[in-house]
Amino acid sequence: GLASEKIPEVAKIAPHPGLIFEDHAKQCYTPDLMSMEALGMVTPGTWVVADNVVYPGAPGFLEHLIPEN
């Protein structure tokens, strides 16, 4: 199944993971991270690591993590 379908299930098992590693469909990185944020899984101190965000790229992912002021 899709990672996005499993996020609520994972949130029940690990509600506040110290590390989130994304290495799946690059176009899903941002929406999946936003789902985890909405479920409260991403808290201050949570490490978010993702593969191949520059090339081939994950649209909007870096901009979401590091917004410009």
Side-chain angles (χ1 to χ4, degrees):
L2 296 173
S4 59
E5 295 171 353
K6 299 293 181 183
I7 292 171
E9 218 173 294
V10 172
K12 291 177 186 174
I13 298 166
H16 305 290
L19 171 70
I20 294 170
F21 180 70
E22 293 192 277
D23 185 15
H24 57 300
K26 309 312 176 222
Q27 69 273 17
C28 296
Y29 281 13
T30 304
D32 287 353
L33 179 61
M34 292 173 75
S35 293
M36 289 182 264
E37 290 171 336
L39 290 168
M41 295 174 72
V42 181
T43 58
T46 302
W47 286 65
V48 177
V49 179
D51 191 32
N52 300 322
V53 296
V54 176
Y55 182 82
F61 184 76
L62 293 177
E63 293 80 6
H64 181 75
L65 282 181
I66 310 166
E68 292 185 27
N69 294 325

